[in-house]
Amino acid sequence: IDREVFSHIGLQRLKETVDRFDCLHIALFDRTRSFLLDDEDCFEREIDKDLLSAVRVYDVPEPEVNILKASIFCDTPAYTMDMAYVLQRELGDWFVFAPSGSKWIDVMQMGVSKASGIQQIMHHLGIEASEVMAFGDAMNDYEILRLVGHPVAMGNGRYAAKQIAERVIGSLRGDHAVVADLREIAHAAQQAVRDTRRPARAGCDLPRAGRLDLNAQQRGRAHDDALQFFRGVQLQPQLHAEAVTQ
């Protein structure tokens, strides 16, 4: 649909600032590679920062390389919030900084966030925010939870995320709560289709743009379950709001 590319001079400014703090380490990402500005053992992998095809670099990649994502690893969790504040003060004219978990800080260009990406998808599909559900746990999810009509927070998530959520469900890592919740929604929608006593309207049970955040894509069984869910169950709104299970 679209993509947003980081400014080369902006990334240079980011590197100059981060180099002042020995607890911070930059990871940059294009479509297929991770560019690490420190040795790989300085970083810890996360679900959405698994550092695929990692390349050790000593400077920001050339402008011809389209950097789509930038994140900063803080090797001392007690410093993460302080560092996010410092980065915002130093580079607030260029970027927005959002803590992600206890050790990562996501770097976002002004006006670009997870929410702006979802807005582009909504526009492309012709759907409204009231038809979208989003799951989040960290502060880098705050914008999407504020945007969508059905925000769902994880039980192990940040206080602010839970306060603005429509519902709070279980843990992201422990009990695969996102997959379980989506299955319940799909089951309710299928029951509505089977119910011959009333019109089959499943639009209120499963938003057309049901969204599974990258943070919810667990390795192993849960990730496979999520993919299987989306491939196996699709509810397509028809002219008379009927839901057709495929």
Side-chain angles (χ1 to χ4, degrees), residues 20-92:
R20 301 176 193 168
F21 304 95
D22 56 11
C23 67
L24 299 181
H25 315 278
I26 299 177
L28 306 174
F29 306 85
D30 68 3
R31 293 182 68 87
T32 60
R33 294 167 295 178
S34 308
F35 300 94
L36 308 182
L37 276 77
D38 276 303
D39 293 338
E40 191 168 347
D41 59 7
C42 293
F43 299 84
E44 289 182 16
R45 286 170 164 78
E46 292 283 346
I47 294 170
D48 64 333
K49 301 174 184 69
D50 49 8
L51 308 181
L52 289 176
S53 303
V55 179
R56 173 65 163 100
V57 296
Y58 295 87
D59 202 352
V60 173
E62 293 299 316
E64 292 76 15
V65 178
N66 291 326
I67 298 300
L68 306 176
K69 179 177 179 178
S71 295
I72 298 170
F73 180 75
C74 181
D75 59 31
T76 306
Y79 299 163
T80 301
M81 296 304 293
D82 287 354
M83 290 297 97
Y85 175 84
V86 167
L87 291 167
Q88 193 65 49
R89 290 298 298 267
E90 293 283 347
L91 296 167

Side-chain angles (χ1 to χ4, degrees), residues 26 103 212:
I26 299 177
K103 295 185 178 182
L212 179 63

Side-chain angles (χ1 to χ4, degrees), residues 3 18 25 51 77 94 97 99 120 138 165 168 174 182 198 207 222 237 242:
R3 65 177 178 180
V18 168
H25 315 278
L51 308 181
W94 288 85
F97 298 89
Q120 292 187 36
V168 177
L182 289 172
R198 59 184 176 86
E242 295 177 349

Side-chain angles (χ1 to χ4, degrees), residues 51-235:
L51 308 181
L52 289 176
S53 303
V55 179
R56 173 65 163 100
V57 296
Y58 295 87
D59 202 352
V60 173
E62 293 299 316
E64 292 76 15
V65 178
N66 291 326
I67 298 300
L68 306 176
K69 179 177 179 178
S71 295
I72 298 170
F73 180 75
C74 181
D75 59 31
T76 306
Y79 299 163
T80 301
M81 296 304 293
D82 287 354
M83 290 297 97
Y85 175 84
V86 167
L87 291 167
Q88 193 65 49
R89 290 298 298 267
E90 293 283 347
L91 296 167
D93 291 340
W94 288 85
F95 304 109
V96 175
F97 298 89
S100 174
S102 62
K103 295 185 178 182
W104 283 93
I105 301 170
D106 282 347
V107 185
M108 296 173 287
Q109 299 180 89
M110 299 296 292
V112 179
S113 67
K114 290 183 178 182
S116 66
I118 292 178
Q119 284 176 317
Q120 292 187 36
I121 295 174
M122 289 164 48
H123 178 75
H124 179 74
L125 298 176
I127 60 178
E128 301 295 331
S130 61
E131 300 175 275
V132 182
M133 177 180 292
F135 298 83
D137 62 343
M139 293 313 298
N140 63 340
D141 298 317
Y142 185 85
E143 289 86 358
I144 61 171
L145 295 177
R146 288 285 291 148
L147 170 69
V148 302
H150 303 282
V152 182
M154 311 310 299
N156 61 325
R158 304 287 297 205
Y159 168 81
K162 290 189 281 190
Q163 285 294 295
I164 63 173
E166 183 178 71
R167 295 184 295 119
V168 177
I169 60 176
S171 168
L172 176 66
R173 299 181 181 278
D175 50 16
H176 311 307
V178 173
V179 174
D181 199 66
L182 289 172
R183 282 177 168 166
E184 289 183 11
I185 295 169
H187 177 71
Q190 290 173 325
Q191 285 296 110
V193 172
R194 297 191 188 104
D195 191 346
T196 58
R197 292 173 297 177
R198 59 184 176 86
R201 294 179 59 91
C204 59
D205 296 311
L206 180 64
R208 283 180 288 168
R211 174 182 171 277
L212 179 63
D213 190 83
L214 288 176
N215 289 339
Q217 295 185 10
Q218 302 291 321
R219 290 185 175 87
R221 182 178 64 82
H223 176 64
D224 293 339
D225 287 347
L227 293 177
Q228 193 173 45
F229 169 83
F230 282 112
R231 288 170 181 160
V233 179
Q234 295 181 3
L235 298 182

